[in-house]
Amino acid sequence: MIAHAVPEGFVSLPRSSPLLDLLGPAYCRGEGLQLEIGLRADNRHANGRGTVHGGVLATLADIGMGYAMAFSSEPPLPLITASMTVDYLGAVQVGEWITVRLEHHKRGRQMAFATVGLRVGEKVVARANAVFAVPQSDRQ
């Protein structure tokens, strides 16, 4: 695989998980509700047709929504994904840079809602909507 530059302003995502370690390296820029997640697609992310697998895009969408919403408050909210839908609008090629950006959000006491767009350049390749459960503390 040819090494590609990471776009300006993106740094290594400071938070990881075993799944992100397999998928990544993932990058980010901004913080809170302006957080963007970035990933350079490589051969590990490809499906049988040679384009990025929809499961990779769904995972990035879930991470992008969850991290932006969770880290928009102090201390961060431990959100739990309750449901998510993804609309695939275009194919992503190996070697392309994928960016995940929060488009809409709303948080209540028990539920949070979010929408993200996944882009390659200016082209929206997927859009995802999710509902998150906001765990209640024991001190109610």
Side-chain angles (χ1 to χ4, degrees):
M1 185 181 112
I2 299 170
H4 296 280
V6 173
E8 187 176 336
F10 280 89
V11 298
S12 291
L13 188 63
R15 183 176 172 94
S16 195
S17 68
L19 179 60
L20 267 177
D21 290 343
L22 288 172
L23 255 164
Y27 298 88
C28 67
R29 75 175 167 197
E31 57 188 34
L33 296 173
Q34 282 70 48
L35 180 70
E36 294 178 80
I37 304 292
L39 179 82
R40 178 73 62 192
D42 66 34
N43 291 327
R44 297 173 298 148
H45 306 122
N47 59 26
R49 283 179 253 157
T51 59
V52 174
H53 192 285
V56 172
L57 299 178
T59 300
L60 289 173
D62 189 31
I63 291 165
M65 285 184 278
Y67 282 19
M69 296 287 289
F71 293 102
S72 67
S73 64
E74 189 58 44
L77 285 174
L79 299 174
I80 300 165
T81 307
S83 73
M84 184 174 80
T85 60
V86 182
D87 296 316
Y88 298 99
L89 307 170
V92 179
Q93 304 300 315
V94 168
E96 292 184 315
W97 179 259
I98 306 162
T99 303
V100 183
R101 297 180 195 145
L102 195 64
E103 294 180 346
H104 304 285
H105 69 280
K106 183 175 177 97
R107 189 179 86 209
R109 287 183 4 166
Q110 296 181 326
M111 307 291 283
F113 306 87
T115 301
V116 290
L118 288 83
R119 298 175 184 273
V120 171
E122 293 302 313
K123 181 176 90 172
V124 178
V125 294
R127 183 161 281 117
N129 297 284
V131 177
F132 297 90
V134 179
Q136 300 301 303
S137 70
D138 294 334
R139 296 177 269 159
Q140 293 191 31

